[in-house]
């Protein structure tokens, strides 16, 4: 009888363990992200080349809006050893005018002539050039969509994407500053 009870206990334990999820879930990602408290930015290589848009003004607006959302959610800026690295992909150029591959996970910081906009001056991770590749199960490709933004939250210690946010909306050309702010705010609503 004792042998039967032990075997039954082992069987139940194995069954319960096998029912658990082995892949990350959005709920776990957000919970992990909420356990962090500092952030900084990885500069992007997504320079808007279209003459219809002002690259510096749009990126400045994106950074300011993200900063406001991060402060509102209890994060503080730490350029030396942040918990979370934020990488922004602003996609404003016409799809036919660019290589419209999905959002990449490589960062060519050693490439000569890599442009870092002035909007990153005060918020950029000091050792950004040490991040070359992002890995982990959350690296999902997002197809290029004109006038959209993708925001990655990356664990600085593991180089894994904690969360990738975007929306299905397209940013309208009229009142671009307001549209960009609303778009970024909508991404943060998905997160929190």
């Amino acid at each position: 009888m004792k042998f039967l009870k032990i075997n039954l206990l082992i069987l139940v334990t194995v069954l319960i363990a096998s029912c658990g999820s082995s892949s990350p879930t959005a709920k776990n990602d957000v919970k992990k992200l909420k356990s962090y408290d500092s952030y900084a930015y990885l500069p992007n290589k997504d320079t808007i080349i279209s003459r219809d848009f002002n690259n510096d003004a749009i990126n400045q607006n994106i950074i300011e809006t993200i900063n406001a959302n991060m402060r509102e959610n209890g994060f503080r800026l730490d350029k030396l050893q942040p918990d979370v690295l934020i990488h922004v992909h602003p996609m404003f150029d016409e799809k036919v005018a660019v290589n419209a591959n999905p959002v990449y996970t490589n960062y060519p910081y050693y490439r000569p002539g890599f442009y870092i906009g002035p909007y990153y001056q005060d918020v950029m991770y000091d050792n950004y050039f040490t991040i070359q590749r992002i890995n982990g199960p959350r690296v999902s490709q997002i197809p290029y969509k004109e006038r959209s933004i993708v925001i990655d939250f990356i664990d600085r210690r593991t180089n894994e994407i904690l969360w990738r946010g975007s929306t299905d909306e397209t940013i309208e050309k009229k009142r671009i500053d307001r549209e960009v702010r609303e778009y970024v705010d909508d991404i943060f609503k998905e997160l929190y």
Side-chain angles (χ1 to χ4, degrees), residues 2 20 46 54 62 68 70 107 110 121 151 166 177 181 187:
K2 188 176 185 180
D46 298 322
N54 180 333
I62 292 169
M70 294 299 283
Y107 305 97
Y110 292 110
Q121 188 76 26
I151 303 173
S166 185
D177 289 342
R181 282 192 301 275
I187 291 173

Side-chain angles (χ1 to χ4, degrees), residues 43-45 107-116 128:
N44 65 39
K45 73 174 192 121
Y107 305 97
Y109 294 132
Y110 292 110
R111 180 176 59 95
F114 180 77
Y115 171 75
I116 298 175
Y128 71 90

Side-chain angles (χ1 to χ4, degrees), residues 47 49-51 92-100 144 146:
T47 303
I49 57 176
S50 172
R51 294 177 190 216
F92 282 76
D93 294 320
E94 290 182 27
K95 194 171 184 176
V96 294
V98 297
N99 180 359
Y144 187 94
E146 292 175 38

Side-chain angles (χ1 to χ4, degrees), residues 38-44 56 58-71 75-88 109 116-129 131 152 154 156:
S38 62
Y39 74 100
Y41 289 83
L42 288 177
N44 65 39
D56 288 350
I58 288 174
N59 277 292
Q60 182 69 38
N61 194 1
I62 292 169
I63 298 297
E64 288 173 359
T65 307
I66 291 173
N67 285 340
N69 277 284
M70 294 299 283
R71 281 191 303 272
F75 285 84
R76 65 179 168 73
L77 182 66
D78 179 358
K79 294 171 42 173
L80 190 57
Q81 290 187 327
D83 297 324
V84 176
L85 299 171
I86 298 174
H87 192 268
V88 180
Y109 294 132
I116 298 175
Y119 35 87
Y120 283 115
Q121 188 76 26
D122 298 325
V123 295
M124 183 173 57
Y125 174 45
D126 288 344
N127 294 319
Y128 71 90
F129 51 85
I131 308 296
D152 287 339
I154 302 162
R156 179 186 56 85

Side-chain angles (χ1 to χ4, degrees), residues 121-169:
Q121 188 76 26
D122 298 325
V123 295
M124 183 173 57
Y125 174 45
D126 288 344
N127 294 319
Y128 71 90
F129 51 85
T130 63
I131 308 296
Q132 292 298 308
R133 185 150 183 87
I134 301 303
N135 53 42
R138 294 165 196 84
V139 178
S140 59
Q141 295 182 335
I142 296 179
Y144 187 94
K145 188 170 72 176
E146 292 175 38
R147 295 192 320 276
S148 66
I149 301 167
V150 177
I151 303 173
D152 287 339
F153 288 75
I154 302 162
D155 185 313
R156 179 186 56 85
R157 290 172 195 87
T158 64
N159 288 358
E160 285 190 13
I161 291 180
L162 297 167
W163 187 79
R164 176 171 273 180
S166 185
T167 70
D168 294 331
E169 302 294 318

